[in-house]
Amino acid sequence: MPNKNMPNGRNAYGKRNSGKRYITYRKAPYKKPQPPKVQENVRIAFLGGMNEIGKNMTLYQYKNDMFIVDCGLAFPNADLPGVDLVIPDFTYVENNVDKLRGIIITHGHEDHIGGLAYLLKRVNVPIYATKLTIGLIKGKLEEHNLLGKVKLVEIKPRDNITLGEFNIEMIHVNHSIPDAVGLAIKCGAGVIIQTGDFKIDTTPVDGDMIDLNRFADYGRRGVLALLSDSTNAERPGYTLSEKSVGESFEKLFRMAKNKRIVVATFASNIHRVQQIIDVAESRNRKVAVLGRSLENLVNVGSELGYLNVPEGILIDINMIRNYPDEKLVLITTGSQGEPMSALTKMAFGEHKKVNLTPNDYVIISATPIPGNEKMVGNVVNELMKRGVDVIYENMYEVHVSGHACQEELKLMMGIVKPKFFIPAHGEQKHLQKHADLARAMGIENENIYVADNGDLIELNEDSLRKVKTVESGEIYVDGIGVGDVGNIVISDRKKLSKDGIIIVVATFDSATGYAVSGPDIVSRGFVYVRENEDLMNEARDLASQVIDECSDGKYHDWNYIKTKLRDELSKLMYDRTKRSPMILPILMEI
């Protein structure tokens, strides 16, 4: 092609350049219009752990794939007489079982694994958890005859697993039990970080600090939402390191001198057990363990290498009589004052193998869970009545939390930099306080969502909204019964415990239709009958009158007679005593 800039100022066509420059515009190539970008949504259903302590369970859904994070239990309070355990309602999971790809467990505490066996009886999907957590889960499955019937997949920090459209990375965190992890949940809608229970411990007992670098990596790349542990959101500052408890044990064991030492702690706190064993060894004391859950933890922890137990230091509880008090340390359950725990039985003189005397030195290495303060106080009082030295609550640093305080929570938010924030794991006061911290960190109020159990939310790059309310709530476990104790049964139990019961028994002749025996009045838990014979006689006369008025030969409307007996006797008892016992008519034909 000829050069347009020729010598002597002439162009390619032999003409002089005018000095003017011309711009040529070219038409852009045709581009086919692109359809608007489809917004990807991920859904989260909160089935437990919101507005409560315990029973943690969260379900994630993207397209046609679901997975569950944790499946815990809660322990019943005084409003649930006779109930052993409380687990989540699994109805929503069962209704979507064809979409369920697996269950990931963040750590081995009861409020995260305690409901798992009950769920696996209804849905059989793979379980993903770290080594120690798998060991503790196996014990649960064995109790329920499920061991070997469920696929257990061992994972470790920095591992990635794929569950349908989800890819999940495990991130190491510090907690009061080893092998705890947070989760980075990745799907087409973005990345969601769920911390699980955590704290930032720079000198952990097991030597592995929380993997803040990995959380920060995701923060630099962009995080759609953060679900963060709210348990200690009311507490300012930082949570103390678990190692500080070991230093306190050193001091207290010296102060105990020649007394026998009894340490009550959470059955799942393997770091605490390790430090007790270490200090006991340094003081030339033997260690005995009381409580089935604690014994199981020691066995599993030792077997898997999470507990370093020197040879010969552990002895059977039946052997303690062979050692002087100054050579013994007993590790026991009961730090929360549980009625059936080993420490409570010792305090009330009901334990078959341990009798406490003024030569015992009891350390309660725990802080009462909200609602348990009175039970713990009762145990402390009973111990002191026996002349026992008791170290409890804040007298010394005998307990540190496994949950992050405010500065650690803010640090987590600061490095993750989420667009949306959802406080998790806590009562309403904890969730709201955590939301306040998020606002102080600069997260916009409309990007913060305080959830409740049953909420199903939908997330995308632009919005977070509640879609609907799904089945959630509480299922009561009583003995071997699961779900057969409901609100009506609980209401009856409360009424029985409050005002007792009156039973009215009468027998009718099927041939004539008239009463041939009774009515007899039986009272339990209402009044002492021998001191209230007049009232019982009046009740019997009233019952006879009602039966006579309702009798009509061979035909009886039994439901009408029972209702009339309840109404009339209830009115009489309230008028005479201002109490409302349960009235139970029993009418028979012979």
Side-chain angles (χ1 to χ4, degrees):
M1 180 177 180
N3 187 351
K4 293 184 179 181
N5 298 310
M6 299 292 290
N8 303 317
R10 296 179 180 275
N11 61 25
Y13 305 102
K15 295 183 179 181
R16 290 185 178 275
N17 289 325
S18 63
K20 294 180 181 180
R21 302 182 66 183
Y22 296 90
I23 299 175
T24 302
Y25 293 93
R26 296 181 179 178
K27 188 176 180 181
Y30 174 76
K31 288 186 178 180
K32 185 178 180 181
Q34 297 297 315
K37 184 179 179 181
V38 177
Q39 195 70 269
E40 299 280 5
N41 296 314
V42 59
R43 288 185 167 190
I44 307 174
F46 302 99
L47 304 181
M50 296 295 188
N51 287 306
E52 62 183 351
I53 299 294
K55 202 159 63 65
N56 297 293
M57 187 175 183
T58 309
L59 184 143
Y60 289 84
Q61 178 181 0
Y62 179 68
K63 295 184 178 178
N64 285 318
D65 296 311
M66 291 181 169
F67 77 95
I68 293 169
V69 176
D70 294 327
C71 183
L73 59 75
F75 293 102
N77 55 33
D79 292 331
L80 298 173
V83 173
D84 297 324
L85 305 170
V86 183
I87 60 175
D89 187 338
F90 303 133
T91 303
Y92 185 68
V93 177
E94 292 180 78
N95 291 342
N96 292 277
V97 66
D98 58 316
K99 301 175 183 178
L100 191 61
R101 306 296 175 241
I103 302 172
I104 300 176
I105 304 297
T106 58
H107 65 278
H109 280 159
E110 289 287 342
D111 59 334
H112 292 257
I113 68 170
L116 192 56
Y118 299 98
L119 175 60
L120 292 173
K121 290 178 180 179
R122 306 182 187 192
V123 297
N124 193 335
V125 293
I127 309 299
Y128 299 85
T130 52
K131 186 176 180 180
L132 177 61
T133 308
I134 289 283
L136 296 172
I137 289 172
K138 284 181 177 179
K140 297 286 182 187
L141 299 183
E142 190 171 11
E143 288 180 19
H144 292 264
N145 297 316
L146 292 172
L147 191 60
K149 301 176 183 177
V150 178
K151 182 180 180 182
L152 300 175
V153 182
E154 185 180 311
I155 53 177
K156 60 183 182 299
R158 295 287 183 110
D159 278 356
N160 282 266
I161 61 172
T162 299
L163 299 176
E165 293 281 344
F166 289 99
N167 182 268
I168 305 101
E169 180 178 346
M170 315 299 142
I171 305 176
H172 172 69
V173 298
N174 299 133
H175 190 39
S176 54
I177 188 171
D179 265 8
V181 292
L183 307 176
I185 300 161
K186 294 159 280 185
C187 64
V191 176
I192 299 171
I193 299 291
Q194 181 165 344
T195 65
D197 290 356
F198 84 99
K199 70 176 183 178
I200 298 174
D201 192 341
T202 56
T203 57
V205 173
D206 60 8
D208 294 321
M209 185 179 161
I210 182 173
D211 194 351
L212 292 176
N213 285 336
R214 201 62 184 144
F215 285 110
D217 284 343
Y218 281 103
R220 284 188 286 270
R221 295 183 221 166
V223 171
L224 180 64
L226 170 66
L227 280 71
S228 184
D229 177 14
S230 304
T231 309
N232 276 354
E234 295 179 299
R235 298 185 184 181
Y238 297 86
T239 303
L240 290 174
S241 172
E242 180 65 30
K243 278 195 174 178
S244 65
V245 178
E247 295 166 4
S248 294
F249 282 149
E250 290 274 6
K251 183 188 300 182
L252 291 171
F253 277 36
R254 287 195 302 270
M255 291 171 59
K257 297 181 180 178
N258 293 326
K259 292 187 175 184
R260 181 173 61 178
I261 298 171
V262 180
V263 184
T265 188
F266 288 109
S268 58
N269 197 332
I270 199 167
H271 292 146
R272 193 74 45 85
V273 173
Q274 181 67 70
Q275 294 190 100
I276 295 168
I277 291 173
D278 290 345
V279 179
E281 183 191 24
S282 70
R283 308 296 297 179
N284 294 316
R285 289 177 180 254
K286 299 292 185 181
V287 176
V289 177
L290 294 86
R292 189 179 67 164
S293 55
L294 197 51
E295 291 172 8
N296 180 58
L297 181 81
V298 171
N299 290 336
V300 172
S302 301
E303 182 181 333
L304 298 179
Y306 291 90
L307 264 181
N308 178 25
V309 182
E311 187 175 351
I313 194 171
L314 280 181
I315 61 172
D316 188 87
I317 190 63
N318 296 309
M319 300 295 293
I320 62 174
R321 67 190 68 175
N322 299 334
Y323 296 87
D325 288 348
E326 65 270 19
K327 292 294 183 183
L328 285 174
V329 175
L330 309 183
I331 309 176
T332 179
T333 56
S335 62
Q336 295 302 306
E338 304 95 319
M340 300 305 294
S341 67
L343 183 64
T344 301
K345 289 180 179 179
M346 289 184 228
F348 286 88
E350 298 172 356
H351 199 282
K352 296 179 180 178
K353 298 177 180 179
V354 180
N355 180 42
L356 297 181
T357 70
N359 204 45
D360 282 301
Y361 193 85
V362 174
I363 303 169
I364 300 179
S365 182
T367 299
I369 294 171
N372 290 352
E373 295 90 350
K374 188 172 182 180
M375 291 192 298
V376 174
N378 290 339
V379 170
V380 171
N381 288 334
E382 291 299 321
L383 290 169
M384 289 183 171
K385 287 178 185 177
R386 294 178 172 273
V388 174
D389 282 340
V390 187
I391 306 298
Y392 62 99
E393 293 193 34
N394 296 323
M395 294 172 64
Y396 293 88
E397 294 293 348
V398 293
H399 176 68
V400 298
S401 176
H403 302 270
C405 288
Q406 290 180 358
E407 296 305 312
E408 296 155 272
L409 296 175
K410 290 192 288 185
L411 178 59
M412 181 61 74
M413 279 186 255
I415 63 175
V416 171
K417 302 181 182 68
K419 180 168 186 179
F420 299 103
F421 177 71
I422 303 169
H425 303 176
E427 298 174 358
Q428 183 67 200
K429 59 182 180 179
H430 305 124
L431 303 181
Q432 292 288 356
K433 190 63 179 179
H434 205 172
D436 290 343
L437 294 177
R439 281 186 278 270
M441 290 291 293
I443 299 177
E444 296 178 5
N445 189 59
E446 57 268 26
N447 289 355
I448 299 170
Y449 186 79
V450 177
D452 196 3
N453 288 337
D455 286 358
L456 175 64
I457 65 170
E458 191 170 76
L459 282 164
N460 58 45
E461 291 180 0
D462 299 325
S463 68
L464 181 159
R465 67 187 183 94
K466 178 179 175 180
V467 177
K468 62 178 180 177
T469 300
V470 301
E471 299 89 344
S472 66
E474 300 179 336
I475 300 296
Y476 304 136
V477 179
D478 189 356
I480 61 172
V482 179
D484 56 349
V485 174
N487 291 331
I488 295 175
V489 174
I490 294 298
S491 178
D492 285 347
R493 289 181 179 181
K494 289 179 181 178
K495 192 170 185 179
L496 286 168
S497 66
K498 183 179 179 182
D499 292 317
I501 185 171
I502 290 177
I503 304 172
V504 184
V505 183
T507 305
F508 293 81
D509 187 331
S510 59
T512 65
Y514 292 100
V516 294
S517 175
D520 296 319
I521 305 294
V522 180
S523 171
R524 290 292 182 271
F526 173 54
V527 294
Y528 185 47
V529 174
R530 290 187 181 180
E531 294 180 358
N532 291 273
E533 290 184 0
D534 292 343
L535 178 60
M536 292 297 104
N537 289 334
E538 190 174 355
R540 187 179 299 108
D541 293 341
L542 178 59
S544 296
Q545 180 183 334
V546 170
I547 289 172
D548 290 341
E549 290 175 355
C550 295
S551 295
D552 183 19
K554 294 184 180 180
Y555 173 76
H556 294 91
D557 185 342
W558 299 112
N559 289 331
Y560 175 75
I561 298 174
K562 289 179 179 180
T563 301
K564 188 73 172 175
L565 283 170
R566 288 193 195 98
D567 292 345
E568 294 299 326
L569 287 174
S570 292
K571 184 175 183 301
L572 172 67
M573 295 306 170
Y574 188 80
D575 289 343
R576 297 291 185 272
T577 67
K578 294 296 184 278
R579 303 178 201 167
S580 301
M582 180 181 289
I583 309 296
L584 180 61
I586 300 177
L587 308 179
M588 300 174 290
E589 272 190 320
I590 58 171

